[in-house]
Amino acid sequence: MTDRQLRDLCALVIEADQPDIPDSGVLHNPAMRRLMARLSYQQGFFRYDEYGDVMRTLALLVEHDPAVHGLPTAQDWEAELGVPLPDYLAIVFALYVGANMRRGRFTTADLAHHAEVGAFGGHDAATVEKLIATHLATDLPALHEKARTEDADESGPGRQMWLTNPLLATPMISDSDGWRAPISPYLLHKITPLGLYFTGLTHFGDDFPRALGDSFELVVGRHLALLTACGAVVHPEIAYGRKGSKKTVDYLIVFPELVLLVESKSMRSTAEARLGDEDGLALLTTRVQKARNQIDTTADLIADRIPELEAIPADRPIRGLVVTLEPIPLVDTYLFTDLIGPNTVQSATVCAHDFEAILPTLAKTPDAGQRLLDALTFRDPTPPALARAVDEIEGREENPLTTDLWDRWKEILPRPS
C-alpha cells in the first residue's frame, strides 16, 4: 500500500459520520470501550483551543452571574494565588507561550525580560517566580517520587502508560537556571475550568464544585439565549409541585418544529474513567443517564399538561440535550450503548467547548428548529449529535459572548496566535 492510498483510506474514515457497526465482534467488546476511553482522555488536552478555554474560565469564575452563591471572591482568589485571578491567567498563559518559543525552557533571565515588557500583567519577576514555585513547579526528585508512588498503587502495574501524568499538577520542573515545561499544554491546563476546578477544590473546599456547577448552568443559559435570534423562546427551569419544591430541566426552548429540553452538568471524569476501568466508565455514564432521566421527567410533565408548564406546547416533538462542562468522550456512541438505559426522549450529549462553537452559527440559520430536530433524531446506526445541525454550513460565526469577554480583557490576556 502506498502512502497516498493510506491517506485516502484515512480520509474516508474521517468523513464517516458513524460507520455501520456489526452487532457482535471485536468492536462491541468492552475491551474496545476501555481502550478508546483511555486514548480519548489522554489526547483530550490537545483538542480544544486555548482562547475558548481561557474565556470560559473568565465567564465561570470572574464575570459570573451575581446570583451564584458560594464562589470565591476576587479577594479570596488573590489571597490563595498571590495575584488576582485574571492576572494569574495572564501570567500562566505568558509562561505557556514563552515555553513554546524556547523549546520547553524558561530561564530566570527570560522571566525578567517578560516582566520588563509587561507580559505578566504588570507584575514583577519576583512575584511571578513565587507564583511558579507555589502553584506550577516542582523539582525532578519530587516529580520522580510522585511518579513512583502512583506506579506502585493498585492501579499502576501494567498500566503506567495511562496513569495521570504528575506534570498535570506541576507542569514546570525547576532547575539551577530556571524551569523546564516538557509538555507545555499542561501549563495551559492549569488555567482552564478543569485545572482551576482542582485548584478551587484544594483551596476553597468541597462546596466549590457545587458553586461552579451553578455558574455553569447560567453560562449555558446565556448561550441558549442566542437562539432567540432565530425565533426560539427560551424558558429557564420551572418550579412545580407542592410549594414549588420540584424543578424541571434547566432550560426549555420552544421552536415551531420542536421543544428542546436542556440539562447542564458540570461533571468531570474520574481517574478510574480515564484509566478505562469499567466501574469508572459506568459511574460517568450514570451521571449522563441521570440528566437524560431528568429530561424524560420534564417531557412527561409537558404531556400531562400540569399548570406550571402550560406555556410549553405539547403538540410537537421533544428532544433533549445534555451539556457538560468537560468532554465525556464517546458516551453517545455504540461503545456505551450497553451502559446507557432506554429513555423516552431522544437526547444527545455535548461538551461546553463544542456547544459554545455551534450555537452562534445555528442561531443565524432561518431553519434552526428543523436542523435541531434532524440532528437530534436517531438515524440507525447514527446517534443524535448537536454538531450535525451545522455540518453543511460553510464558515462559522464567532461567539459574541466570547468576543465580548475578550474585548474587555484583551489588555491583560494575550490572545494566542
Side-chain angles (χ1 to χ4, degrees), residues 181-216:
I183 306 177
S184 59
Y186 283 4
L187 263 172
L188 186 68
H189 171 73
K190 295 289 289 186
I191 56 175
T192 65
L194 181 57
L196 281 165
Y197 165 82
F198 291 106
T199 301
L201 190 62
T202 299
H203 295 291
F204 305 118
D206 293 341
D207 192 49
F208 179 77
R210 190 273 315 157
L212 181 64
D214 290 348
S215 183
F216 177 57

Side-chain angles (χ1 to χ4, degrees), residues 17-19 21 28 33 40-41 267 281 284-285 287-289 291-292 295 320-324 326-341 343 345-351 354 358 375-388:
D17 188 350
Q18 177 89 353
I21 303 302
H28 266 89
R33 173 168 60 227
S40 297
Y41 282 117
M267 65 180 71
L281 294 174
L284 203 60
T285 308
R287 296 172 182 172
V288 175
Q289 181 79 67
R292 292 187 179 185
I295 289 170
L321 188 65
V322 181
V323 186
T324 61
E326 301 302 329
I328 311 295
L330 307 171
V331 71
D332 285 344
T333 70
Y334 71 94
L335 289 167
F336 284 79
T337 51
D338 59 323
L339 295 181
I340 292 279
N343 288 99
V345 176
Q346 297 185 50
S347 299
T349 309
V350 64
C351 67
D354 294 330
I358 292 167
L376 299 180
T377 298
F378 180 77
R379 312 288 185 189
D380 191 18
T382 305
L386 181 65
R388 285 203 305 279

